[in-house]
Amino acid sequence: MPVLENKPLARTLHKTVKVGMEIPADLYKAVAEVLAYVYRLKQKRK
């Protein structure tokens, strides 16, 4: 199974965001890139 690693993003999210909270606007692009990667993987598996 592929692994995408973005330690700076993970650390920042862990320090600043609690479950259920909105992602800070300055992290939207980084989170969107991770989500796009996941969705591409899901499409390849179909």
Side-chain angles (χ1 to χ4, degrees):
M1 178 176 284
V3 174
L4 175 67
E5 190 172 280
N6 186 329
K7 288 180 183 179
L9 176 60
R11 288 182 183 124
T12 301
L13 287 170
H14 182 73
K15 289 179 185 176
T16 61
V17 182
K18 302 287 184 215
V19 174
M21 289 179 59
E22 188 172 306
I23 296 168
D26 59 330
L27 298 178
Y28 281 1
K29 185 175 185 293
V31 172
E33 289 171 358
V34 171
L35 292 174
Y37 176 79
V38 170
Y39 290 130
R40 282 192 303 272
L41 284 179
K42 287 176 93 174
Q43 290 299 319
K44 287 181 182 180
R45 288 185 168 206
K46 287 185 178 182

Coordinates of all heavy atoms in Angstrom, one line a residue:
M1 N 0.9 -1.2 0.0 CA 0.0 0.0 0.0 C 0.9 1.2 0.0 O 1.8 1.4 0.8 CB -0.9 0.0 1.2 CG -1.8 1.2 1.3 SD -2.9 1.2 2.7 CE -4.1 0.1 2.1
P2 N 0.6 2.2 -0.9 CA 1.4 3.4 -0.9 C 1.3 4.3 0.3 O 0.2 4.2 1.0 CB 0.8 4.2 -2.1 CG 0.0 3.2 -2.9 CD -0.4 2.1 -1.9
V3 N 2.3 5.0 0.6 CA 2.3 5.9 1.8 C 2.7 7.3 1.3 O 3.7 7.4 0.6 CB 3.3 5.4 2.9 CG1 3.4 6.4 4.0 CG2 2.9 4.0 3.4
L4 N 1.9 8.2 1.7 CA 2.2 9.6 1.5 C 2.6 10.2 2.8 O 1.9 10.2 3.8 CB 1.0 10.4 0.9 CG 1.2 11.9 0.7 CD1 2.2 12.2 -0.4 CD2 -0.2 12.5 0.4
E5 N 3.8 10.8 2.8 CA 4.3 11.4 4.1 C 4.5 12.9 3.9 O 5.2 13.3 3.0 CB 5.6 10.7 4.4 CG 6.1 11.0 5.8 CD 7.3 10.1 6.1 OE1 7.2 9.0 6.5 OE2 8.5 10.7 6.0
N6 N 3.9 13.6 4.8 CA 4.1 15.0 4.9 C 4.2 15.4 6.4 O 3.2 15.8 7.0 CB 3.0 15.8 4.2 CG 3.3 17.3 4.1 OD1 3.9 17.9 5.0 ND2 2.7 17.9 3.1
K7 N 5.4 15.2 6.9 CA 5.6 15.4 8.4 C 5.3 16.8 8.8 O 4.6 17.0 9.9 CB 7.0 14.9 8.8 CG 7.2 13.5 8.8 CD 8.6 13.0 9.2 CE 8.7 11.5 9.0 NZ 10.1 11.1 9.4
P8 N 5.7 17.8 8.1 CA 5.4 19.2 8.6 C 3.9 19.4 8.6 O 3.4 20.1 9.6 CB 6.1 20.1 7.5 CG 7.2 19.2 6.9 CD 6.6 17.8 7.0
L9 N 3.2 19.0 7.7 CA 1.7 19.1 7.7 C 1.1 18.4 8.8 O 0.3 18.9 9.6 CB 1.1 18.7 6.4 CG -0.4 18.7 6.3 CD1 -1.0 20.1 6.5 CD2 -0.9 18.1 5.0
A10 N 1.5 17.1 9.0 CA 1.0 16.3 10.1 C 1.3 17.0 11.5 O 0.4 17.1 12.3 CB 1.6 14.9 10.1
R11 N 2.5 17.5 11.7 CA 2.8 18.1 12.9 C 2.0 19.4 13.2 O 1.5 19.6 14.3 CB 4.3 18.5 13.0 CG 5.2 17.3 13.1 CD 6.6 17.6 13.2 NE 7.5 16.5 13.3 CZ 8.4 16.2 12.4 NH1 8.7 17.0 11.4 NH2 9.1 15.0 12.6
T12 N 1.8 20.2 12.1 CA 1.1 21.4 12.2 C -0.4 21.1 12.5 O -1.0 21.8 13.4 CB 1.2 22.3 11.0 OG1 2.6 22.6 10.7 CG2 0.4 23.6 11.1
L13 N -1.0 20.2 11.8 CA -2.4 19.8 12.1 C -2.5 19.3 13.5 O -3.5 19.7 14.2 CB -2.9 18.8 11.1 CG -3.1 19.3 9.7 CD1 -3.4 18.1 8.7 CD2 -4.3 20.3 9.6
H14 N -1.6 18.5 13.9 CA -1.7 17.9 15.3 C -1.6 19.0 16.4 O -2.3 18.9 17.4 CB -0.6 16.9 15.5 CG -0.6 16.2 16.8 ND1 -1.5 15.3 17.2 CD2 0.2 16.4 17.9 CE1 -1.3 14.9 18.4 NE2 -0.3 15.5 18.9
K15 N -0.8 20.0 16.2 CA -0.6 21.1 17.2 C -1.8 22.1 17.2 O -2.0 22.7 18.2 CB 0.7 21.8 16.9 CG 1.9 21.0 17.2 CD 3.2 21.8 16.9 CE 4.4 21.0 17.1 NZ 5.6 21.8 16.7
T16 N -2.4 22.3 16.0 CA -3.3 23.4 15.9 C -4.8 23.0 15.7 O -5.7 23.9 15.9 CB -2.9 24.3 14.7 OG1 -3.0 23.5 13.5 CG2 -1.6 24.9 14.9
V17 N -5.1 21.8 15.4 CA -6.5 21.4 15.1 C -7.0 20.3 15.9 O -6.3 19.3 16.0 CB -6.6 21.1 13.6 CG1 -8.1 20.8 13.2 CG2 -6.1 22.2 12.7
K18 N -8.1 20.4 16.5 CA -8.8 19.3 17.2 C -9.8 18.7 16.3 O -10.3 19.3 15.4 CB -9.5 19.9 18.5 CG -8.5 20.6 19.4 CD -7.6 19.6 20.2 CE -6.8 20.4 21.2 NZ -5.5 19.9 21.4
V19 N -10.1 17.4 16.6 CA -11.1 16.7 15.9 C -12.4 17.5 15.8 O -12.9 18.0 16.8 CB -11.4 15.3 16.5 CG1 -12.5 14.6 15.7 CG2 -10.1 14.4 16.4
G20 N -13.0 17.7 14.6 CA -14.2 18.4 14.4 C -14.0 19.9 14.1 O -15.0 20.5 13.7
M21 N -12.8 20.4 14.3 CA -12.5 21.8 14.0 C -12.3 21.9 12.5 O -11.9 21.0 11.8 CB -11.3 22.2 14.8 CG -11.5 22.4 16.2 SD -10.0 22.9 17.1 CE -9.6 24.5 16.3
E22 N -12.4 23.2 12.1 CA -12.1 23.5 10.7 C -10.6 23.6 10.5 O -9.9 24.1 11.3 CB -12.8 24.9 10.3 CG -12.7 25.2 8.9 CD -13.6 26.5 8.6 OE1 -14.8 26.5 9.0 OE2 -13.0 27.4 8.1
I23 N -10.2 23.2 9.3 CA -8.8 23.3 9.0 C -8.5 24.8 8.7 O -9.2 25.5 8.0 CB -8.4 22.5 7.7 CG1 -8.7 21.0 8.0 CG2 -7.0 22.7 7.2 CD1 -8.6 20.1 6.8
P24 N -7.4 25.3 9.3 CA -7.0 26.7 9.0 C -6.8 27.0 7.5 O -6.3 26.1 6.8 CB -5.7 26.9 9.8 CG -5.7 25.8 10.8 CD -6.5 24.7 10.2
A25 N -7.2 28.1 7.1 CA -7.1 28.5 5.7 C -5.7 28.4 5.1 O -5.6 28.0 4.0 CB -7.7 29.9 5.5
D26 N -4.7 28.7 5.9 CA -3.4 28.6 5.4 C -2.9 27.2 5.2 O -1.8 27.0 4.5 CB -2.4 29.4 6.3 CG -2.4 28.9 7.7 OD1 -3.4 28.3 8.2 OD2 -1.3 29.0 8.4
L27 N -3.7 26.2 5.6 CA -3.3 24.8 5.3 C -4.2 24.1 4.3 O -4.0 23.0 3.9 CB -3.4 24.0 6.6 CG -2.5 24.4 7.8 CD1 -2.8 23.5 9.0 CD2 -1.0 24.3 7.4
Y28 N -5.1 24.9 3.7 CA -6.0 24.3 2.7 C -5.3 23.7 1.5 O -5.6 22.6 1.1 CB -6.9 25.4 2.1 CG -8.1 25.8 3.0 CD1 -8.4 25.3 4.2 CD2 -9.0 26.7 2.5 CE1 -9.5 25.6 5.0 CE2 -10.1 27.1 3.2 CZ -10.3 26.6 4.5 OH -11.4 27.0 5.2
K29 N -4.3 24.4 1.0 CA -3.6 23.9 -0.2 C -2.9 22.6 0.1 O -3.0 21.6 -0.7 CB -2.6 24.9 -0.7 CG -1.9 24.5 -2.0 CD -1.0 25.6 -2.6 CE -0.5 25.3 -3.9 NZ 0.5 24.2 -3.9
A30 N -2.2 22.5 1.2 CA -1.5 21.3 1.6 C -2.4 20.1 1.8 O -2.2 19.0 1.4 CB -0.6 21.5 2.8
V31 N -3.5 20.4 2.5 CA -4.5 19.3 2.8 C -5.2 18.9 1.4 O -5.4 17.7 1.2 CB -5.5 19.7 3.8 CG1 -6.7 18.7 3.9 CG2 -4.9 19.9 5.2
A32 N -5.4 19.8 0.6 CA -6.1 19.5 -0.7 C -5.1 18.6 -1.5 O -5.6 17.7 -2.2 CB -6.4 20.8 -1.5
E33 N -3.8 18.9 -1.5 CA -2.9 18.0 -2.2 C -2.9 16.6 -1.7 O -2.9 15.6 -2.5 CB -1.5 18.6 -2.1 CG -1.3 19.9 -2.9 CD 0.0 20.6 -2.7 OE1 0.8 20.1 -1.8 OE2 0.2 21.7 -3.3
V34 N -3.0 16.4 -0.4 CA -3.1 15.1 0.2 C -4.4 14.4 -0.3 O -4.4 13.2 -0.7 CB -3.0 15.1 1.7 CG1 -3.3 13.8 2.3 CG2 -1.6 15.6 2.1
L35 N -5.5 15.1 -0.2 CA -6.8 14.6 -0.5 C -6.8 14.2 -2.0 O -7.3 13.1 -2.4 CB -7.9 15.5 -0.2 CG -8.2 15.7 1.3 CD1 -9.2 16.8 1.5 CD2 -8.6 14.4 1.9
A36 N -6.2 15.0 -2.9 CA -6.2 14.7 -4.3 C -5.4 13.5 -4.6 O -5.8 12.6 -5.4 CB -5.5 15.9 -5.1
Y37 N -4.3 13.3 -3.8 CA -3.5 12.1 -4.0 C -4.3 10.8 -3.6 O -4.3 9.8 -4.3 CB -2.2 12.2 -3.1 CG -1.4 11.0 -3.0 CD1 -0.5 10.7 -4.1 CD2 -1.4 10.1 -2.0 CE1 0.3 9.6 -4.0 CE2 -0.6 8.9 -1.9 CZ 0.2 8.7 -3.0 OH 1.0 7.6 -2.9
V38 N -5.0 10.9 -2.5 CA -5.8 9.8 -2.0 C -6.9 9.5 -3.1 O -7.2 8.3 -3.4 CB -6.5 10.1 -0.7 CG1 -7.5 9.1 -0.3 CG2 -5.4 10.2 0.4
Y39 N -7.6 10.5 -3.6 CA -8.7 10.3 -4.6 C -8.1 9.7 -5.9 O -8.7 8.8 -6.5 CB -9.4 11.6 -4.9 CG -10.3 12.0 -3.7 CD1 -10.2 13.3 -3.2 CD2 -11.1 11.1 -3.0 CE1 -11.0 13.7 -2.1 CE2 -11.9 11.5 -2.0 CZ -11.8 12.8 -1.5 OH -12.6 13.2 -0.5
R40 N -6.9 10.1 -6.3 CA -6.3 9.5 -7.5 C -6.0 8.0 -7.2 O -6.2 7.2 -8.1 CB -5.0 10.2 -7.8 CG -5.2 11.6 -8.6 CD -4.0 12.1 -9.2 NE -2.9 12.3 -8.2 CZ -2.7 13.4 -7.5 NH1 -3.5 14.5 -7.7 NH2 -1.7 13.5 -6.7
L41 N -5.5 7.7 -6.1 CA -5.3 6.3 -5.7 C -6.5 5.5 -5.8 O -6.6 4.3 -6.3 CB -4.6 6.1 -4.3 CG -3.2 6.5 -4.2 CD1 -2.7 6.3 -2.7 CD2 -2.3 5.6 -5.1
K42 N -7.6 6.0 -5.2 CA -8.9 5.3 -5.2 C -9.4 5.1 -6.7 O -9.9 4.0 -6.9 CB -9.9 6.1 -4.4 CG -9.7 6.1 -2.9 CD -10.7 6.9 -2.2 CE -11.9 6.0 -1.8 NZ -12.8 6.8 -0.9
Q43 N -9.2 6.0 -7.5 CA -9.6 5.9 -8.9 C -8.8 4.8 -9.6 O -9.4 4.1 -10.4 CB -9.5 7.2 -9.7 CG -10.5 8.3 -9.2 CD -11.9 7.8 -9.4 OE1 -12.3 7.2 -10.4 NE2 -12.8 8.1 -8.5
K44 N -7.6 4.7 -9.3 CA -6.7 3.7 -10.0 C -7.1 2.3 -9.6 O -6.9 1.4 -10.3 CB -5.2 4.0 -9.6 CG -4.7 5.2 -10.4 CD -3.2 5.3 -10.0 CE -2.6 6.5 -10.7 NZ -1.2 6.7 -10.3
R45 N -7.6 2.2 -8.4 CA -8.0 0.8 -7.8 C -9.3 0.3 -8.4 O -9.6 -0.8 -8.4 CB -8.1 0.9 -6.3 CG -6.8 1.0 -5.7 CD -6.9 0.9 -4.2 NE -5.6 0.7 -3.6 CZ -5.4 0.1 -2.5 NH1 -6.4 -0.3 -1.7 NH2 -4.1 0.0 -2.0
K46 N -10.1 1.2 -9.0 CA -11.4 0.8 -9.6 C -11.2 0.1 -10.9 O -10.3 0.2 -11.6 CB -12.3 2.0 -9.7 CG -12.8 2.4 -8.4 CD -13.8 3.6 -8.5 CE -14.4 4.0 -7.2 NZ -15.3 5.0 -7.3

